[in-house]
Amino acid sequence: MLRFVVRRLLQVIPTLLLLSLLVFWWLRSLPGGPATALLGDKATPERIAEINRGLGLDQPILTQYWLFLGRVVSGDFGTSTITGEPVLSEIARFMPATIELSVVALLIAVLLGIPLGYLAARYRGRPLDVATVIGTLVGVAVPVFFLGYLLKQYIAVDLRLLPPSGRLSTGIDATDVTGFAVLDGLLTREFDASLDALRHLVLPAVTLATIPLAVIVRITRASVLDVLGADFVRTANAKGLAPITVRSRHVLRNALLPVSTTIGLQVGLLLAGAVLTEKVFVWGGIGTMLADAITLKDYPRLQALLLMGAVIYVVVNLLVDISYAVIDPRVRLS
Amino acid sequence: MTTHPLLKVRDLRVVFRRRGEPDTVAVDGVSFDVAAGQVIGLVGESGCGKSVTSMAVMRLLPARGVEISGSIELDGVELLALSDSEMRERRGRDVSMIFQDPLSSLNPVIPIGLQITEVLRRHRGMGKAQARAEAVELLDRVGIPEPRRRLDTYPHQLSGGMRQRALIAIALACRPRLLIADEPTTALDVTIQAQILGLLSDLVRETGTALVMITHDLGIVAGMCETVNVLYGGRIVERAQRHRLFGTPRHPYTHGLLRSIPRLDSPPGEKLAAISGSMADNLPWAHSCAFAPRCPRVLETCLDITPDAETSGGRLLRCHNPVPASAE
């Protein structure tokens, strides 16, 4: 198992190298650049050249890339052209908000999606199943930002049930420990802060969870249907086992194999969805940071964020592969 | 037949109903008995209703879209009247089943040991350690070498023959009164087939378990079964003691089946005798003999009147124009 993990981690290195080169090249081939973005109307060729010289953008692209790699190895991703702050410390500040949002969204999607998919399969063709199939179709099809605005308008603005934006209400005195607002409140025993943070989380998390939830429900349903017809389930029934044993040990364990792959793939989409969701709910996480960086052509920020996204994606899928080996002996032992 | 059979199937009828499609009568009035310790065979081609019959006895057919009528008595208890949970109590304990494809019939992601112990713990109330010890015993009895080590292996690590042995161990774990084997050797090669059949024969003889062999392979039937039921289109067309059935097959279908077995002593180049055509679906017996369209001895009556089952001299026969007893 350890060798498997190490081998997989080593495979990541060439992937990241290639990806970083592509990102580096693509960003610089876009029209405009940090200088024009920063200067706006006041841009003159002289001032643009001056800024570019300051940022090292006047050098050949391969030289820039080589210098970039050298700095990255020592942990320096450069400073943001917008704020002048080191990119890494920016990320460290904004990251917890996005992780909090994504983790809660993924939990909603998984904890709701698997049971719902299972029930839909079990009551195939009945009203519950039909409702689930239609619901998931809508869930996949509705754009994230549209759903976000809809929820915000009805639940937060019209009904005033939940706060419409931000992570904490003004006037709440919360101590920052880890950056995860809900967790901080629990750690410092400021339970009112925790609750307030949780209330702020609901709408964005539900918005972000919609698509992964719909996908997980569908995959679980299809997978359970497949397994329910399998010969070994017939064997389990022929043994006269209790229904709960047949369901958990024989049906679900086999049905979850494709579901775990899907969850891994959803994490990538979750990062993309977080950008839109954070925008709608003024969340102030990595998504906001990324959106600003794209508008203002903040190369160092974009490079760091895109690479970080890739690393997260790779790590999550490695975890999925490991979980696969845990669930399926055929993978583990061959 | 003994006075009090272990399994008594009477007029079993299984109809598959699908919306927008005509009903399919898979089993159409099948009756047979199995005495304790007896081995009987249900023989016929694909779709003749033999597997559906066994699934009906196990009550493993889906509840929706399937209509079962008639009577299935096990030890005097009407199985069709039992609740689902009462039936679950009996399944695996009083009556168990071995299936065709041992690889797909075993759960791929849990070890063999657990697949055996779960039955023991469910029906015989054993603890974990006790069940494991018994599982070792069972694997040993079905001829799996190094049984203790095998408990922690997974189905894909065993050979086909070993998997079928493991399935037999599971089926016999609770010493059932009745065992149904549905094409237990079809997925295995010939030498392994012989071993598995030998093992099954020995085990049922030792434990006194009654065995219903479901197969399309007349060779298996000839080697094992005391009584043979030949099914066609969901009905039993001929039933007799093995020697009488093979010696003097009276139904043209049985006769054709036996003639279609290739013989080693036939001259080279000789064509295999085949029964032409294939079985009709839906309501084959409604107004005629279901076999009539394929029958070499067909008469006009066969197309107009459904033949009744008649019993004489221990042989059941459903035919208007049987093969003369002296034909072979």
Side-chain angles (χ1 to χ4, degrees):
Chain A
M1 184 55 105
L2 189 68
R3 273 181 56 193
F4 168 73
V5 174
V6 169
R7 205 174 60 217
R8 281 293 305 269
L9 284 175
L10 288 177
Q11 283 170 1
V12 170
I13 294 172
T15 314
L16 287 182
L17 267 178
L18 184 66
L19 189 81
S20 64
L21 182 62
L22 289 176
V23 164
F24 211 81
W25 178 48
W26 281 335
L27 284 178
R28 278 156 185 74
S29 63
L30 289 173
T36 36
L38 288 172
L39 291 167
D41 293 342
K42 285 171 273 179
T44 60
E46 294 77 39
R47 296 197 64 184
I48 289 174
E50 190 188 319
I51 289 181
N52 278 349
R53 203 163 33 249
L55 295 172
L57 296 175
D58 54 339
Q59 295 176 48
I61 192 162
L62 278 178
T63 317
Q64 287 182 46
Y65 182 64
W66 185 247
L67 291 171
F68 165 75
L69 277 188
R71 286 198 304 270
V72 164
V73 169
S74 59
D76 176 14
F77 278 87
T79 53
S80 164
T81 58
I82 306 171
T83 59
E85 195 187 338
V87 171
L88 274 186
S89 72
E90 271 192 336
I91 290 180
R93 196 149 40 84
F94 285 108
M95 194 65 174
T98 301
I99 292 182
E100 190 172 48
L101 177 63
S102 306
V103 167
V104 174
L106 193 63
L107 279 180
I108 294 176
V110 171
L111 296 183
L112 219 61
I114 291 176
L116 213 55
Y118 179 83
L119 288 175
R122 193 149 164 251
Y123 299 105
R124 181 187 194 176
R126 315 261 185 99
L128 175 78
D129 179 35
V130 175
T132 308
V133 169
I134 294 172
T136 53
L137 202 62
V138 174
V140 173
V142 168
V144 173
F145 60 90
F146 178 68
L147 181 72
Y149 277 120
L150 214 63
L151 288 175
K152 191 168 155 176
Q153 183 63 37
Y154 277 111
I155 295 174
V157 179
D158 293 350
L159 298 172
R160 297 183 170 280
L161 291 174
L162 290 165
S165 62
R167 294 181 66 200
L168 282 170
S169 306
T170 43
I172 290 273
D173 178 32
T175 319
D176 190 6
V177 186
T178 57
F180 301 100
V182 179
L183 193 63
D184 283 352
L186 292 177
L187 287 175
T188 56
R189 301 191 168 271
E190 294 165 338
F191 296 118
D192 57 328
S194 251
L195 188 69
D196 185 64
L198 212 54
R199 281 167 50 81
H200 279 84
L201 250 176
V202 175
L203 290 183
V206 167
T207 305
L208 186 54
T210 321
I211 292 177
L213 171 68
V215 174
I216 289 173
V217 169
R218 295 208 137 212
I219 300 287
T220 308
R221 178 181 176 273
S223 174
V224 169
L225 278 180
D226 197 39
V227 174
L228 280 178
D231 287 349
F232 61 81
V233 173
R234 186 181 59 183
T235 308
N237 281 319
K239 289 172 175 177
L241 299 176
I244 180 87
T245 316
V246 177
R247 269 175 231 159
S248 56
R249 189 179 288 162
H250 295 281
V251 177
L252 260 187
R253 254 196 97 155
N254 281 282
L256 286 185
L257 290 172
V259 178
S260 67
T261 308
T262 312
I263 293 173
L265 294 172
Q266 291 305 311
V267 169
L269 294 175
L270 218 52
L271 294 175
V275 176
L276 294 167
T277 310
E278 289 185 6
K279 188 86 192 154
V280 174
F281 292 98
V282 199
W283 192 251
I286 294 290
T288 317
M289 207 180 140
L290 184 65
D292 291 349
I294 291 170
T295 328
L296 293 173
K297 300 276 169 6
D298 191 339
Y299 291 162
R301 240 197 211 183
L302 286 171
Q303 280 152 201
L305 286 175
L306 292 175
L307 281 183
M308 190 189 66
V311 170
I312 292 176
Y313 198 69
V314 166
V315 168
V316 167
N317 279 289
L318 177 65
L319 290 178
V320 166
D321 282 354
I322 293 172
S323 80
Y324 228 92
V326 171
I327 309 176
D328 192 345
R330 287 166 296 186
V331 176
R332 189 186 336 145
L333 299 166
S334 62
Chain B
M1 291 283 141
T2 48
T3 45
H4 184 69
L6 172 70
L7 178 74
K8 200 168 127 188
V9 177
R10 286 292 172 276
D11 207 25
L12 178 69
R13 213 175 128 85
V14 182
V15 182
F16 291 96
R17 294 188 190 283
R18 275 212 192 122
R19 240 183 305 173
E21 280 176 48
D23 293 353
T24 307
V25 184
V27 179
D28 190 8
V30 163
S31 304
F32 63 93
D33 290 338
V34 190
Q38 198 189 16
V39 180
I40 74 151
L42 295 183
V43 194
E45 64 194 86
S46 308
C48 72
K50 54 194 196 299
S51 289
V52 176
T53 303
S54 66
M55 295 289 275
V57 172
M58 291 293 285
R59 291 237 338 238
L60 282 175
L61 292 168
R64 291 212 301 168
V66 182
E67 202 179 274
I68 304 174
S69 59
S71 156
I72 302 170
E73 271 182 30
L74 183 71
D75 239 351
V77 176
E78 176 57 61
L79 295 185
L80 293 179
L82 293 179
S83 72
D84 284 350
S85 67
E86 286 170 324
M87 189 60 213
R88 266 198 299 276
E89 288 298 324
R90 283 177 171 73
R91 244 185 252 138
R93 191 188 67 192
D94 298 336
V95 43
S96 58
M97 192 160 174
I98 303 169
F99 299 99
Q100 184 168 10
D101 181 352
L103 180 59
S104 64
S105 297
L106 288 164
N107 186 335
V109 302
I110 65 175
I112 294 288
L114 181 58
Q115 305 197 39
I116 301 174
T117 55
E118 65 179 359
V119 211
L120 295 168
R121 300 190 64 184
R122 160 93 174 148
H123 293 301
R124 287 170 67 183
M126 289 186 176
K128 215 170 181 175
Q130 200 189 357
R132 264 182 89 85
E134 177 71 15
V136 172
E137 228 19 42
L138 282 163
L139 287 180
D140 189 49
R141 207 155 58 135
V142 297
I144 292 184
E146 296 185 85
R148 194 171 302 278
R149 213 167 56 81
R150 299 286 176 202
L151 287 184
D152 299 316
T153 57
Y154 292 89
H156 72 278
Q157 294 169 299
L158 297 177
S159 66
M162 287 298 155
R163 285 179 205 133
Q164 193 55 286
R165 283 170 195 267
L167 269 177
I168 293 173
I170 292 170
L172 293 177
C174 298
R175 303 190 194 100
R177 318 263 330 260
L178 176 70
L179 176 65
I180 302 172
D182 188 356
E183 306 265 10
T185 55
T186 309
L188 305 173
D189 61 54
V190 184
T191 45
I192 307 296
Q193 201 169 36
Q195 287 175 14
I196 294 289
L197 291 174
L199 175 71
L200 263 181
S201 298
D202 291 347
L203 288 174
V204 295
R205 202 173 307 130
E206 281 167 29
T207 54
T209 299
L211 175 64
V212 176
M213 277 296 275
I214 292 173
T215 180
H216 64 273
D217 187 336
L218 289 165
I220 292 175
V221 172
M224 287 185 79
C225 306
E226 295 154 39
T227 306
V228 183
N229 295 278
V230 180
L231 270 86
Y232 189 83
R235 288 191 186 185
I236 293 175
V237 293
E238 186 167 14
R239 162 167 58 226
Q241 295 296 104
R242 148 176 76 171
H243 294 296
R244 297 195 53 192
L245 189 93
F246 285 98
T248 52
R250 299 292 310 280
H251 197 283
Y253 179 59
T254 319
H255 188 79
L257 279 182
L258 287 168
R259 287 219 318 148
S260 68
I261 299 173
R263 299 174 64 106
L264 279 176
D265 56 0
S266 57
E270 191 186 72
K271 274 200 171 174
L272 280 176
I275 302 172
S276 60
S278 60
M279 195 145 44
D281 282 343
N282 302 330
L283 301 159
W285 293 95
H287 308 291
S288 62
C289 172
F291 187 58
R294 302 170 68 186
C295 183
R297 300 177 56 83
V298 60
L299 304 174
E300 239 164 74
T301 16
C302 301
L303 300 167
D304 296 331
I305 302 163
T306 310
D308 287 325
E310 279 161 30
T311 315
S312 71
R315 182 197 296 262
L316 177 145
L317 191 59
R318 190 189 291 277
C319 185
H320 290 306
N321 186 22
V323 181
S326 55
E328 276 191 23

